[in-house]
Amino acid sequence: CRKLLENRINEHSILSETERYFFVRKNLENLGLDSIKFQYDKLFAFYDTATENDVHPQELVNAISDEKQKILALSYLKYRELLDKLGKFDYAKLQQEAFHLLRRDNATCSRWQNTFQYILVDEYQDTNPIQDAIIRLIVSPKNRITVVGDENQSIYGFRGASLENFRRFDRKY
């Protein structure tokens, strides 16, 4: 994803997990999180799940009625706005931006489709929805793809991995 976006990002614009933690901690008030209790890992999982499922922040805010969840959704909206304003990326946003670039820019998508004759994805059971969508765009239209995985070893569900990507592979391709 970094390579796909090489004209838009540099090493310093991608937040490591530690930098992300301090970024949010520094901006608690701006994100509307200064008055509620939360766990950072759960907050980041909430943000990542929304991003990896390509849910627009405002749509998320509009869809939630639970008060605490609404605060989290609003914080996600503000978080994404702040990242955009500062030209920063977290890992999930990096993937989402690459996906959007491939979808909207036919020349870029075609270049990446023609870069590889065959694609091999290891640990496919641990891909998230946006990674699966990126893979589908890159392997199209030839669909020369092989995946390796074991649904009994899926360990990244807490990070948004979707075992369904693996289970539905044969139907997709």
Side-chain angles (χ1 to χ4, degrees), residues 2 9-16 19 88:
R2 182 186 332 215
I9 64 170
N10 61 52
E11 292 294 319
H12 301 295
S13 55
I14 301 172
L15 298 174
S16 69
E19 291 168 325
K88 299 283 187 188

Side-chain angles (χ1 to χ4, degrees), residues 54-162:
D54 203 28
V55 177
H56 190 278
Q58 188 61 57
E59 290 175 11
L60 185 61
V61 170
N62 295 343
I64 294 177
S65 58
D66 176 76
E67 191 175 324
K68 185 167 182 176
Q69 292 291 311
K70 180 76 95 177
I71 291 169
L72 294 177
L74 284 167
S75 77
Y76 173 63
L77 173 67
K78 293 172 185 174
Y79 170 76
R80 289 299 301 268
E81 288 172 348
L82 195 54
L83 285 179
D84 290 343
K85 179 181 172 187
L86 298 173
K88 299 283 187 188
F89 293 80
D90 61 18
Y91 184 65
K93 182 180 179 212
L94 184 68
Q95 295 175 88
Q96 186 183 47
E97 291 294 318
F99 169 65
H100 284 214
L101 176 64
L102 288 169
R103 270 198 356 200
R104 76 173 175 267
D105 186 336
N106 291 334
T108 298
C109 190
S110 181
R111 186 182 75 190
W112 281 90
Q113 288 169 340
N114 293 317
T115 297
F116 308 102
Q117 187 172 4
Y118 300 97
I119 301 285
L120 169 68
V121 181
D122 194 11
E123 304 296 343
Y124 191 71
Q125 79 277 359
D126 289 327
T127 58
N128 65 43
I130 209 144
Q131 290 168 338
D132 184 57
I134 290 167
I135 292 164
R136 290 199 74 185
L137 285 169
I138 291 174
V139 302
S140 291
K142 299 173 193 164
N143 290 338
R144 293 180 178 165
I145 182 171
T146 300
V147 300
V148 178
D150 180 347
E151 65 182 73
N152 294 320
Q153 292 188 15
S154 182
I155 59 171
Y156 288 107
F158 70 95
R159 283 187 134 177
S162 174

